Amino acid sequence: MRGRPTIYEDSNIIKKAQEVFWQKGYSATSLSDLQKATGAGAGSFYNTFKGGKKEVFQKAVQERRLAFDEFKNELNKSNSPLELIKDFFRSIAEANSNEHLKGCIIANTVVEMTFIDEDLENSAVQILKEVEQMFTEVIKKEQQKGNIKTQTSPEILGKYLITFWCGLNTLRRMYPDKNVLKDQIEMQLAVIS
Amino acid sequence: MRGRPTIYEDSNIIKKAQEVFWQKGYSATSLSDLQKATGAGAGSFYNTFKGGKKEVFQKAVQERRLAFDEFKNELNKSNSPLELIKDFFRSIAEANSNEHLKGCIIANTVVEMTFIDEDLENSAVQILKEVEQMFTEVIKKEQQKGNIKTQTSPEILGKYLITFWCGLNTLRRMYPDKNVLKDQIEMQLAVIS
DNA sequence: TTATTTTTGTAATGATCGATACATAAATAA
DNA sequence: TTATTTATGTATCGATCATTACAAAAATAA
């Protein structure tokens, strides 16, 4: 392959940019912020991402979806998928204060981008709906197996969990405290049993 | 009183500015946006609000708190405060699509401002905590009266309701649909009974 | 009337915004 | 070596940012 070798790998730029976007959101993050965080100058940045700031944000969001896909794979292999979901929620309480304050980049994006950028808004909403559907499917199966007593429909329970996830996204900022969150998460998960 | 008469009333500027902030958030709202929305030019704007954009945002948020105070007063006069709270949540489903997409300006602010402006973040968090406390107090009283069977502590149930409120803030954007939201709200309120 | 006070409208400020232009560096292909 | 290709660093773009400066407008007080 010809040409000067790349020193700023795409994936690394996205990773570093994601950290800034996650904390500051889309609008409040400047190109200058991204250049400082990634080390890449404007030349490299726009050579790699013709779509500029928006393209990098999209890719940072999509990168986050990969983590979700991975979790979904684990769910499919698991014998107790509901317990895996519950443990995922429980693990949130164990995060450090900075992670609490950052919250979920997808949920943050839905709140921030509604009247700002339709594309970014839609792709974030889409991901949340996929997560919701994952919840719903697991609940449906577990209900059929008799592992869940509640007769509430899996659709409503799935929406209950995604609503909880989004609510937790704010509660964590109000109380970035392990003990508070732990009790709260346990109480809310008890609804699905 | 001396001097040229005011044609842009403070309260009116705040009201108009609030509408823009509510939709677009703090960072994405420009002074130009505010001037278009309020009609007031830079002269009037900075003559009235020395603190500029931030001061107006603060006042727009505090104005919203008044609505909360009013509700709190109604709660204190009510014989069935819990039902009043539940009806408040139920009324959310009846909002129009634009209102769903706007969500709650206080909850939005907590998500947006975390790493951006400590003052604005803190005042929004403060308001949510006061709402939570209102929930908690009502639940405590109703439990003592025997109107709530659940033995879960009022503190956890209060946090449950504020978490629901914040979760609903995102769910409404995913599904700005009366029927979806109605069922969801009813299910979540059933936990407090 | 004249002086004083306050609000308003407009022009300008310097800073920063996201993005582009372009020369140079650094590799491979011919 | 020389030509070609790609990435990088830097200068700069016009636009917009939040804010300030300032003169004119419009009222009351003297």
Side-chain angles (χ1 to χ4, degrees), chain A residues 23 111 114-116 129 132 156 159-160 163 167 173-175 184 188, chain B residues 23 28 111 114-115 129 132 156 159-160 163 167 171 173-175 184 188:
Chain A
Q23 291 206 16
V111 172
T114 307
F115 291 91
I116 309 297
K129 286 189 175 176
E132 176 203 333
I156 286 192
K159 283 191 177 61
Y160 165 78
T163 303
R173 293 175 222 240
M174 296 172 66
Y175 303 100
Q184 209 55 36
Q188 295 236 16
Chain B
Q23 291 205 18
V111 172
T114 307
F115 291 92
K129 286 188 176 178
E132 176 203 333
I156 285 191
K159 282 190 177 60
Y160 165 78
T163 302
L171 190 73
R173 293 176 221 241
M174 295 172 67
Y175 303 99
Q184 208 57 34
Q188 295 235 19

PDB file of all heavy atoms in Angstrom, chain A residues 23 111 114-116 129 132 156 159-160 163 167 173-175 184 188, chain B residues 23 28 111 114-115 129 132 156 159-160 163 167 171 173-175 184 188:
ATOM      1  N   GLN A  23     -19.006  12.529  28.030  1.00  0.00           N
ATOM      2  CA  GLN A  23     -19.066  13.459  29.158  1.00  0.00           C
ATOM      3  C   GLN A  23     -19.802  14.751  28.797  1.00  0.00           C
ATOM      4  O   GLN A  23     -20.687  15.189  29.530  1.00  0.00           O
ATOM      5  CB  GLN A  23     -17.645  13.820  29.622  1.00  0.00           C
ATOM      6  CG  GLN A  23     -16.902  12.659  30.269  1.00  0.00           C
ATOM      7  CD  GLN A  23     -15.830  13.129  31.248  1.00  0.00           C
ATOM      8  OE1 GLN A  23     -15.823  14.275  31.673  1.00  0.00           O
ATOM      9  NE2 GLN A  23     -14.932  12.226  31.617  1.00  0.00           N
ATOM     10  N   VAL A 111     -31.960  12.415  24.896  1.00  0.00           N
ATOM     11  CA  VAL A 111     -32.406  13.641  25.579  1.00  0.00           C
ATOM     12  C   VAL A 111     -31.840  14.887  24.899  1.00  0.00           C
ATOM     13  O   VAL A 111     -32.536  15.871  24.689  1.00  0.00           O
ATOM     14  CB  VAL A 111     -32.002  13.613  27.076  1.00  0.00           C
ATOM     15  CG1 VAL A 111     -32.286  14.951  27.738  1.00  0.00           C
ATOM     16  CG2 VAL A 111     -32.731  12.487  27.801  1.00  0.00           C
ATOM     17  N   THR A 114     -33.016  15.667  20.537  1.00  0.00           N
ATOM     18  CA  THR A 114     -34.388  15.648  20.020  1.00  0.00           C
ATOM     19  C   THR A 114     -34.686  16.751  18.999  1.00  0.00           C
ATOM     20  O   THR A 114     -35.151  16.472  17.911  1.00  0.00           O
ATOM     21  CB  THR A 114     -35.403  15.728  21.167  1.00  0.00           C
ATOM     22  OG1 THR A 114     -35.116  14.700  22.111  1.00  0.00           O
ATOM     23  CG2 THR A 114     -36.815  15.541  20.641  1.00  0.00           C
ATOM     24  N   PHE A 115     -34.439  17.980  19.353  1.00  0.00           N
ATOM     25  CA  PHE A 115     -34.771  19.063  18.418  1.00  0.00           C
ATOM     26  C   PHE A 115     -33.523  19.584  17.696  1.00  0.00           C
ATOM     27  O   PHE A 115     -33.561  20.634  17.051  1.00  0.00           O
ATOM     28  CB  PHE A 115     -35.464  20.206  19.144  1.00  0.00           C
ATOM     29  CG  PHE A 115     -36.844  19.874  19.628  1.00  0.00           C
ATOM     30  CD1 PHE A 115     -37.053  19.359  20.899  1.00  0.00           C
ATOM     31  CD2 PHE A 115     -37.949  20.044  18.795  1.00  0.00           C
ATOM     32  CE1 PHE A 115     -38.321  19.047  21.353  1.00  0.00           C
ATOM     33  CE2 PHE A 115     -39.222  19.735  19.229  1.00  0.00           C
ATOM     34  CZ  PHE A 115     -39.418  19.220  20.505  1.00  0.00           C
ATOM     35  N   ILE A 116     -32.406  18.852  17.835  1.00  0.00           N
ATOM     36  CA  ILE A 116     -31.128  19.334  17.304  1.00  0.00           C
ATOM     37  C   ILE A 116     -30.722  18.625  16.019  1.00  0.00           C
ATOM     38  O   ILE A 116     -30.379  19.264  15.032  1.00  0.00           O
ATOM     39  CB  ILE A 116     -30.009  19.175  18.360  1.00  0.00           C
ATOM     40  CG1 ILE A 116     -30.439  19.792  19.690  1.00  0.00           C
ATOM     41  CG2 ILE A 116     -28.713  19.781  17.860  1.00  0.00           C
ATOM     42  CD1 ILE A 116     -30.701  21.280  19.659  1.00  0.00           C
ATOM     43  N   LYS A 129     -34.551   1.011  21.561  1.00  0.00           N
ATOM     44  CA  LYS A 129     -35.656   0.100  21.237  1.00  0.00           C
ATOM     45  C   LYS A 129     -35.169  -1.335  21.057  1.00  0.00           C
ATOM     46  O   LYS A 129     -35.878  -2.282  21.398  1.00  0.00           O
ATOM     47  CB  LYS A 129     -36.373   0.583  19.965  1.00  0.00           C
ATOM     48  CG  LYS A 129     -37.241   1.814  20.198  1.00  0.00           C
ATOM     49  CD  LYS A 129     -38.096   2.150  18.991  1.00  0.00           C
ATOM     50  CE  LYS A 129     -39.036   3.322  19.300  1.00  0.00           C
ATOM     51  NZ  LYS A 129     -39.819   3.746  18.121  1.00  0.00           N
ATOM     52  N   GLU A 132     -34.661  -2.659  24.470  1.00  0.00           N
ATOM     53  CA  GLU A 132     -35.993  -2.955  25.014  1.00  0.00           C
ATOM     54  C   GLU A 132     -36.504  -4.291  24.480  1.00  0.00           C
ATOM     55  O   GLU A 132     -37.017  -5.122  25.240  1.00  0.00           O
ATOM     56  CB  GLU A 132     -36.973  -1.841  24.611  1.00  0.00           C
ATOM     57  CG  GLU A 132     -38.399  -2.107  25.060  1.00  0.00           C
ATOM     58  CD  GLU A 132     -39.416  -1.331  24.220  1.00  0.00           C
ATOM     59  OE1 GLU A 132     -39.058  -0.260  23.676  1.00  0.00           O
ATOM     60  OE2 GLU A 132     -40.563  -1.815  24.099  1.00  0.00           O
ATOM     61  N   ILE A 156     -44.921  -4.815  28.151  1.00  0.00           N
ATOM     62  CA  ILE A 156     -44.949  -3.775  29.182  1.00  0.00           C
ATOM     63  C   ILE A 156     -43.780  -3.921  30.158  1.00  0.00           C
ATOM     64  O   ILE A 156     -43.172  -2.923  30.569  1.00  0.00           O
ATOM     65  CB  ILE A 156     -46.310  -3.790  29.925  1.00  0.00           C
ATOM     66  CG1 ILE A 156     -47.375  -3.190  29.001  1.00  0.00           C
ATOM     67  CG2 ILE A 156     -46.235  -3.038  31.241  1.00  0.00           C
ATOM     68  CD1 ILE A 156     -48.687  -2.878  29.644  1.00  0.00           C
ATOM     69  N   LYS A 159     -40.712  -2.592  28.427  1.00  0.00           N
ATOM     70  CA  LYS A 159     -40.695  -1.122  28.475  1.00  0.00           C
ATOM     71  C   LYS A 159     -40.412  -0.638  29.893  1.00  0.00           C
ATOM     72  O   LYS A 159     -39.789   0.400  30.090  1.00  0.00           O
ATOM     73  CB  LYS A 159     -42.035  -0.557  27.978  1.00  0.00           C
ATOM     74  CG  LYS A 159     -42.186  -0.576  26.463  1.00  0.00           C
ATOM     75  CD  LYS A 159     -43.394   0.216  25.999  1.00  0.00           C
ATOM     76  CE  LYS A 159     -43.476   0.237  24.482  1.00  0.00           C
ATOM     77  NZ  LYS A 159     -43.616  -1.096  23.871  1.00  0.00           N
ATOM     78  N   TYR A 160     -40.863  -1.422  30.869  1.00  0.00           N
ATOM     79  CA  TYR A 160     -40.571  -1.066  32.260  1.00  0.00           C
ATOM     80  C   TYR A 160     -39.065  -1.049  32.484  1.00  0.00           C
ATOM     81  O   TYR A 160     -38.519  -0.117  33.093  1.00  0.00           O
ATOM     82  CB  TYR A 160     -41.234  -2.077  33.204  1.00  0.00           C
ATOM     83  CG  TYR A 160     -40.730  -2.025  34.625  1.00  0.00           C
ATOM     84  CD1 TYR A 160     -41.153  -1.038  35.501  1.00  0.00           C
ATOM     85  CD2 TYR A 160     -39.813  -2.977  35.092  1.00  0.00           C
ATOM     86  CE1 TYR A 160     -40.679  -0.985  36.805  1.00  0.00           C
ATOM     87  CE2 TYR A 160     -39.328  -2.936  36.393  1.00  0.00           C
ATOM     88  CZ  TYR A 160     -39.768  -1.938  37.241  1.00  0.00           C
ATOM     89  OH  TYR A 160     -39.288  -1.891  38.532  1.00  0.00           O
ATOM     90  N   THR A 163     -37.381   1.875  30.657  1.00  0.00           N
ATOM     91  CA  THR A 163     -37.709   3.100  31.388  1.00  0.00           C
ATOM     92  C   THR A 163     -36.855   3.206  32.649  1.00  0.00           C
ATOM     93  O   THR A 163     -36.343   4.283  32.987  1.00  0.00           O
ATOM     94  CB  THR A 163     -39.200   3.119  31.779  1.00  0.00           C
ATOM     95  OG1 THR A 163     -39.987   2.988  30.605  1.00  0.00           O
ATOM     96  CG2 THR A 163     -39.562   4.415  32.492  1.00  0.00           C
ATOM     97  N   GLY A 167     -34.286   6.083  33.603  1.00  0.00           N
ATOM     98  CA  GLY A 167     -34.471   6.779  34.871  1.00  0.00           C
ATOM     99  C   GLY A 167     -33.207   6.701  35.713  1.00  0.00           C
ATOM    100  O   GLY A 167     -32.776   7.675  36.338  1.00  0.00           O
ATOM    101  N   ARG A 173     -26.929  10.373  38.681  1.00  0.00           N
ATOM    102  CA  ARG A 173     -26.313  11.708  38.817  1.00  0.00           C
ATOM    103  C   ARG A 173     -26.781  12.395  40.086  1.00  0.00           C
ATOM    104  O   ARG A 173     -26.050  13.191  40.683  1.00  0.00           O
ATOM    105  CB  ARG A 173     -26.671  12.567  37.597  1.00  0.00           C
ATOM    106  CG  ARG A 173     -26.035  12.031  36.321  1.00  0.00           C
ATOM    107  CD  ARG A 173     -26.493  12.827  35.110  1.00  0.00           C
ATOM    108  NE  ARG A 173     -26.775  11.943  34.000  1.00  0.00           N
ATOM    109  CZ  ARG A 173     -26.160  11.979  32.816  1.00  0.00           C
ATOM    110  NH1 ARG A 173     -25.248  12.863  32.595  1.00  0.00           N
ATOM    111  NH2 ARG A 173     -26.470  11.131  31.877  1.00  0.00           N
ATOM    112  N   MET A 174     -28.024  12.110  40.493  1.00  0.00           N
ATOM    113  CA  MET A 174     -28.523  12.688  41.749  1.00  0.00           C
ATOM    114  C   MET A 174     -27.814  12.042  42.935  1.00  0.00           C
ATOM    115  O   MET A 174     -27.475  12.718  43.903  1.00  0.00           O
ATOM    116  CB  MET A 174     -30.031  12.458  41.871  1.00  0.00           C
ATOM    117  CG  MET A 174     -30.868  13.137  40.822  1.00  0.00           C
ATOM    118  SD  MET A 174     -32.617  12.624  40.903  1.00  0.00           S
ATOM    119  CE  MET A 174     -33.119  13.303  42.494  1.00  0.00           C
ATOM    120  N   TYR A 175     -27.628  10.729  42.843  1.00  0.00           N
ATOM    121  CA  TYR A 175     -27.002   9.969  43.923  1.00  0.00           C
ATOM    122  C   TYR A 175     -25.923   9.056  43.358  1.00  0.00           C
ATOM    123  O   TYR A 175     -26.170   7.860  43.162  1.00  0.00           O
ATOM    124  CB  TYR A 175     -28.054   9.140  44.668  1.00  0.00           C
ATOM    125  CG  TYR A 175     -29.185   9.946  45.245  1.00  0.00           C
ATOM    126  CD1 TYR A 175     -30.420  10.033  44.593  1.00  0.00           C
ATOM    127  CD2 TYR A 175     -29.035  10.630  46.460  1.00  0.00           C
ATOM    128  CE1 TYR A 175     -31.463  10.777  45.123  1.00  0.00           C
ATOM    129  CE2 TYR A 175     -30.075  11.362  46.995  1.00  0.00           C
ATOM    130  CZ  TYR A 175     -31.285  11.436  46.324  1.00  0.00           C
ATOM    131  OH  TYR A 175     -32.317  12.169  46.859  1.00  0.00           O
ATOM    132  N   GLN A 184     -31.999   0.687  45.465  1.00  0.00           N
ATOM    133  CA  GLN A 184     -32.991   1.121  44.489  1.00  0.00           C
ATOM    134  C   GLN A 184     -33.124   0.117  43.350  1.00  0.00           C
ATOM    135  O   GLN A 184     -34.226  -0.237  42.935  1.00  0.00           O
ATOM    136  CB  GLN A 184     -32.568   2.489  43.934  1.00  0.00           C
ATOM    137  CG  GLN A 184     -33.713   3.336  43.498  1.00  0.00           C
ATOM    138  CD  GLN A 184     -34.736   3.521  44.595  1.00  0.00           C
ATOM    139  OE1 GLN A 184     -34.395   3.629  45.768  1.00  0.00           O
ATOM    140  NE2 GLN A 184     -36.002   3.521  44.221  1.00  0.00           N
ATOM    141  N   GLN A 188     -36.410  -2.291  42.259  1.00  0.00           N
ATOM    142  CA  GLN A 188     -37.039  -2.205  40.936  1.00  0.00           C
ATOM    143  C   GLN A 188     -36.986  -3.537  40.204  1.00  0.00           C
ATOM    144  O   GLN A 188     -37.886  -3.872  39.435  1.00  0.00           O
ATOM    145  CB  GLN A 188     -36.367  -1.111  40.104  1.00  0.00           C
ATOM    146  CG  GLN A 188     -36.586   0.269  40.688  1.00  0.00           C
ATOM    147  CD  GLN A 188     -37.216   1.236  39.690  1.00  0.00           C
ATOM    148  OE1 GLN A 188     -37.759   0.856  38.655  1.00  0.00           O
ATOM    149  NE2 GLN A 188     -37.164   2.493  40.020  1.00  0.00           N
TER     150      GLN A 188
ATOM    151  N   GLN B  23     -36.700  23.189  24.492  1.00  0.00           N
ATOM    152  CA  GLN B  23     -36.568  22.353  23.304  1.00  0.00           C
ATOM    153  C   GLN B  23     -35.112  22.034  22.988  1.00  0.00           C
ATOM    154  O   GLN B  23     -34.754  20.884  22.759  1.00  0.00           O
ATOM    155  CB  GLN B  23     -37.196  23.057  22.083  1.00  0.00           C
ATOM    156  CG  GLN B  23     -38.709  23.157  22.162  1.00  0.00           C
ATOM    157  CD  GLN B  23     -39.350  23.279  20.793  1.00  0.00           C
ATOM    158  OE1 GLN B  23     -38.751  22.982  19.767  1.00  0.00           O
ATOM    159  NE2 GLN B  23     -40.603  23.696  20.752  1.00  0.00           N
ATOM    160  N   ALA B  28     -27.033  24.387  22.906  1.00  0.00           N
ATOM    161  CA  ALA B  28     -27.448  24.539  21.501  1.00  0.00           C
ATOM    162  C   ALA B  28     -28.325  25.773  21.279  1.00  0.00           C
ATOM    163  O   ALA B  28     -28.650  26.102  20.140  1.00  0.00           O
ATOM    164  CB  ALA B  28     -28.172  23.280  21.029  1.00  0.00           C
ATOM    165  N   VAL B 111     -29.230  15.922  32.782  1.00  0.00           N
ATOM    166  CA  VAL B 111     -28.484  15.106  31.820  1.00  0.00           C
ATOM    167  C   VAL B 111     -27.498  15.962  31.028  1.00  0.00           C
ATOM    168  O   VAL B 111     -26.345  15.578  30.822  1.00  0.00           O
ATOM    169  CB  VAL B 111     -29.449  14.374  30.860  1.00  0.00           C
ATOM    170  CG1 VAL B 111     -28.674  13.680  29.742  1.00  0.00           C
ATOM    171  CG2 VAL B 111     -30.299  13.369  31.622  1.00  0.00           C
ATOM    172  N   THR B 114     -24.172  18.064  33.348  1.00  0.00           N
ATOM    173  CA  THR B 114     -23.286  17.420  34.327  1.00  0.00           C
ATOM    174  C   THR B 114     -21.831  17.880  34.262  1.00  0.00           C
ATOM    175  O   THR B 114     -21.263  18.305  35.253  1.00  0.00           O
ATOM    176  CB  THR B 114     -23.335  15.896  34.196  1.00  0.00           C
ATOM    177  OG1 THR B 114     -24.693  15.469  34.252  1.00  0.00           O
ATOM    178  CG2 THR B 114     -22.565  15.241  35.340  1.00  0.00           C
ATOM    179  N   PHE B 115     -21.198  17.789  33.113  1.00  0.00           N
ATOM    180  CA  PHE B 115     -19.790  18.178  33.037  1.00  0.00           C
ATOM    181  C   PHE B 115     -19.613  19.566  32.415  1.00  0.00           C
ATOM    182  O   PHE B 115     -18.524  19.966  32.036  1.00  0.00           O
ATOM    183  CB  PHE B 115     -18.997  17.146  32.227  1.00  0.00           C
ATOM    184  CG  PHE B 115     -18.853  15.825  32.917  1.00  0.00           C
ATOM    185  CD1 PHE B 115     -19.774  14.814  32.701  1.00  0.00           C
ATOM    186  CD2 PHE B 115     -17.809  15.600  33.794  1.00  0.00           C
ATOM    187  CE1 PHE B 115     -19.652  13.592  33.335  1.00  0.00           C
ATOM    188  CE2 PHE B 115     -17.678  14.380  34.438  1.00  0.00           C
ATOM    189  CZ  PHE B 115     -18.599  13.369  34.209  1.00  0.00           C
ATOM    190  N   LYS B 129     -34.638  16.587  43.678  1.00  0.00           N
ATOM    191  CA  LYS B 129     -34.617  16.024  45.032  1.00  0.00           C
ATOM    192  C   LYS B 129     -35.797  16.527  45.861  1.00  0.00           C
ATOM    193  O   LYS B 129     -36.338  15.809  46.702  1.00  0.00           O
ATOM    194  CB  LYS B 129     -33.291  16.359  45.727  1.00  0.00           C
ATOM    195  CG  LYS B 129     -32.118  15.537  45.197  1.00  0.00           C
ATOM    196  CD  LYS B 129     -30.859  15.756  46.036  1.00  0.00           C
ATOM    197  CE  LYS B 129     -29.731  14.838  45.549  1.00  0.00           C
ATOM    198  NZ  LYS B 129     -28.465  15.053  46.294  1.00  0.00           N
ATOM    199  N   GLU B 132     -38.718  14.589  44.746  1.00  0.00           N
ATOM    200  CA  GLU B 132     -38.607  13.257  45.351  1.00  0.00           C
ATOM    201  C   GLU B 132     -39.074  13.287  46.799  1.00  0.00           C
ATOM    202  O   GLU B 132     -39.845  12.420  47.233  1.00  0.00           O
ATOM    203  CB  GLU B 132     -37.142  12.784  45.292  1.00  0.00           C
ATOM    204  CG  GLU B 132     -36.913  11.454  45.976  1.00  0.00           C
ATOM    205  CD  GLU B 132     -35.459  11.273  46.400  1.00  0.00           C
ATOM    206  OE1 GLU B 132     -34.560  11.866  45.766  1.00  0.00           O
ATOM    207  OE2 GLU B 132     -35.228  10.546  47.389  1.00  0.00           O
ATOM    208  N   ILE B 156     -37.477   4.665  49.544  1.00  0.00           N
ATOM    209  CA  ILE B 156     -37.225   3.903  48.314  1.00  0.00           C
ATOM    210  C   ILE B 156     -38.380   4.084  47.322  1.00  0.00           C
ATOM    211  O   ILE B 156     -38.153   4.208  46.112  1.00  0.00           O
ATOM    212  CB  ILE B 156     -36.991   2.412  48.651  1.00  0.00           C
ATOM    213  CG1 ILE B 156     -35.581   2.265  49.242  1.00  0.00           C
ATOM    214  CG2 ILE B 156     -37.160   1.541  47.414  1.00  0.00           C
ATOM    215  CD1 ILE B 156     -35.092   0.859  49.394  1.00  0.00           C
ATOM    216  N   LYS B 159     -37.917   7.484  45.737  1.00  0.00           N
ATOM    217  CA  LYS B 159     -36.880   7.428  44.698  1.00  0.00           C
ATOM    218  C   LYS B 159     -37.389   6.654  43.478  1.00  0.00           C
ATOM    219  O   LYS B 159     -37.004   6.941  42.345  1.00  0.00           O
ATOM    220  CB  LYS B 159     -35.609   6.790  45.250  1.00  0.00           C
ATOM    221  CG  LYS B 159     -34.785   7.722  46.113  1.00  0.00           C
ATOM    222  CD  LYS B 159     -33.414   7.135  46.442  1.00  0.00           C
ATOM    223  CE  LYS B 159     -32.583   8.113  47.244  1.00  0.00           C
ATOM    224  NZ  LYS B 159     -33.206   8.493  48.537  1.00  0.00           N
ATOM    225  N   TYR B 160     -38.234   5.672  43.742  1.00  0.00           N
ATOM    226  CA  TYR B 160     -38.828   4.924  42.631  1.00  0.00           C
ATOM    227  C   TYR B 160     -39.629   5.867  41.737  1.00  0.00           C
ATOM    228  O   TYR B 160     -39.518   5.828  40.508  1.00  0.00           O
ATOM    229  CB  TYR B 160     -39.740   3.815  43.178  1.00  0.00           C
ATOM    230  CG  TYR B 160     -40.666   3.211  42.152  1.00  0.00           C
ATOM    231  CD1 TYR B 160     -40.203   2.275  41.228  1.00  0.00           C
ATOM    232  CD2 TYR B 160     -42.017   3.581  42.097  1.00  0.00           C
ATOM    233  CE1 TYR B 160     -41.057   1.727  40.278  1.00  0.00           C
ATOM    234  CE2 TYR B 160     -42.876   3.039  41.151  1.00  0.00           C
ATOM    235  CZ  TYR B 160     -42.389   2.114  40.243  1.00  0.00           C
ATOM    236  OH  TYR B 160     -43.241   1.583  39.302  1.00  0.00           O
ATOM    237  N   THR B 163     -37.347   8.275  39.825  1.00  0.00           N
ATOM    238  CA  THR B 163     -36.667   7.506  38.768  1.00  0.00           C
ATOM    239  C   THR B 163     -37.626   7.266  37.609  1.00  0.00           C
ATOM    240  O   THR B 163     -37.249   7.374  36.437  1.00  0.00           O
ATOM    241  CB  THR B 163     -36.167   6.157  39.320  1.00  0.00           C
ATOM    242  OG1 THR B 163     -35.295   6.390  40.421  1.00  0.00           O
ATOM    243  CG2 THR B 163     -35.424   5.372  38.236  1.00  0.00           C
ATOM    244  N   GLY B 167     -37.210   8.412  33.829  1.00  0.00           N
ATOM    245  CA  GLY B 167     -37.263   7.396  32.779  1.00  0.00           C
ATOM    246  C   GLY B 167     -38.335   7.733  31.755  1.00  0.00           C
ATOM    247  O   GLY B 167     -38.146   7.583  30.541  1.00  0.00           O
ATOM    248  N   LEU B 171     -38.706   7.745  27.722  1.00  0.00           N
ATOM    249  CA  LEU B 171     -39.703   6.867  27.085  1.00  0.00           C
ATOM    250  C   LEU B 171     -40.674   7.656  26.215  1.00  0.00           C
ATOM    251  O   LEU B 171     -41.084   7.220  25.137  1.00  0.00           O
ATOM    252  CB  LEU B 171     -40.481   6.093  28.153  1.00  0.00           C
ATOM    253  CG  LEU B 171     -41.383   4.981  27.600  1.00  0.00           C
ATOM    254  CD1 LEU B 171     -40.549   3.793  27.131  1.00  0.00           C
ATOM    255  CD2 LEU B 171     -42.425   4.537  28.610  1.00  0.00           C
ATOM    256  N   ARG B 173     -40.043  10.167  24.482  1.00  0.00           N
ATOM    257  CA  ARG B 173     -39.424  10.500  23.189  1.00  0.00           C
ATOM    258  C   ARG B 173     -39.359   9.271  22.288  1.00  0.00           C
ATOM    259  O   ARG B 173     -39.421   9.383  21.069  1.00  0.00           O
ATOM    260  CB  ARG B 173     -38.015  11.048  23.409  1.00  0.00           C
ATOM    261  CG  ARG B 173     -38.044  12.404  24.129  1.00  0.00           C
ATOM    262  CD  ARG B 173     -36.629  12.878  24.434  1.00  0.00           C
ATOM    263  NE  ARG B 173     -36.581  13.454  25.761  1.00  0.00           N
ATOM    264  CZ  ARG B 173     -36.244  14.715  26.033  1.00  0.00           C
ATOM    265  NH1 ARG B 173     -35.898  15.524  25.069  1.00  0.00           N
ATOM    266  NH2 ARG B 173     -36.237  15.160  27.259  1.00  0.00           N
ATOM    267  N   MET B 174     -39.221   8.100  22.905  1.00  0.00           N
ATOM    268  CA  MET B 174     -39.207   6.862  22.114  1.00  0.00           C
ATOM    269  C   MET B 174     -40.601   6.567  21.582  1.00  0.00           C
ATOM    270  O   MET B 174     -40.760   6.125  20.450  1.00  0.00           O
ATOM    271  CB  MET B 174     -38.746   5.688  22.989  1.00  0.00           C
ATOM    272  CG  MET B 174     -37.323   5.774  23.485  1.00  0.00           C
ATOM    273  SD  MET B 174     -36.940   4.461  24.682  1.00  0.00           S
ATOM    274  CE  MET B 174     -37.030   2.994  23.656  1.00  0.00           C
ATOM    275  N   TYR B 175     -41.591   6.803  22.444  1.00  0.00           N
ATOM    276  CA  TYR B 175     -42.987   6.531  22.078  1.00  0.00           C
ATOM    277  C   TYR B 175     -43.869   7.726  22.449  1.00  0.00           C
ATOM    278  O   TYR B 175     -44.532   7.696  23.483  1.00  0.00           O
ATOM    279  CB  TYR B 175     -43.489   5.278  22.793  1.00  0.00           C
ATOM    280  CG  TYR B 175     -42.678   4.037  22.529  1.00  0.00           C
ATOM    281  CD1 TYR B 175     -41.714   3.609  23.432  1.00  0.00           C
ATOM    282  CD2 TYR B 175     -42.875   3.288  21.364  1.00  0.00           C
ATOM    283  CE1 TYR B 175     -40.959   2.464  23.193  1.00  0.00           C
ATOM    284  CE2 TYR B 175     -42.128   2.144  21.110  1.00  0.00           C
ATOM    285  CZ  TYR B 175     -41.176   1.744  22.037  1.00  0.00           C
ATOM    286  OH  TYR B 175     -40.433   0.602  21.782  1.00  0.00           O
ATOM    287  N   GLN B 184     -48.220   2.057  30.213  1.00  0.00           N
ATOM    288  CA  GLN B 184     -46.965   1.998  30.929  1.00  0.00           C
ATOM    289  C   GLN B 184     -47.049   2.701  32.273  1.00  0.00           C
ATOM    290  O   GLN B 184     -46.592   2.188  33.289  1.00  0.00           O
ATOM    291  CB  GLN B 184     -45.880   2.652  30.048  1.00  0.00           C
ATOM    292  CG  GLN B 184     -44.521   2.101  30.300  1.00  0.00           C
ATOM    293  CD  GLN B 184     -44.466   0.600  30.104  1.00  0.00           C
ATOM    294  OE1 GLN B 184     -45.150   0.044  29.241  1.00  0.00           O
ATOM    295  NE2 GLN B 184     -43.699  -0.082  30.943  1.00  0.00           N
ATOM    296  N   GLN B 188     -46.738   1.124  36.162  1.00  0.00           N
ATOM    297  CA  GLN B 188     -45.720   1.568  37.113  1.00  0.00           C
ATOM    298  C   GLN B 188     -46.325   2.146  38.384  1.00  0.00           C
ATOM    299  O   GLN B 188     -45.757   2.025  39.464  1.00  0.00           O
ATOM    300  CB  GLN B 188     -44.800   2.605  36.447  1.00  0.00           C
ATOM    301  CG  GLN B 188     -44.004   2.000  35.296  1.00  0.00           C
ATOM    302  CD  GLN B 188     -42.510   2.210  35.453  1.00  0.00           C
ATOM    303  OE1 GLN B 188     -41.999   2.485  36.533  1.00  0.00           O
ATOM    304  NE2 GLN B 188     -41.791   2.060  34.371  1.00  0.00           N
TER     305      GLN B 188
END
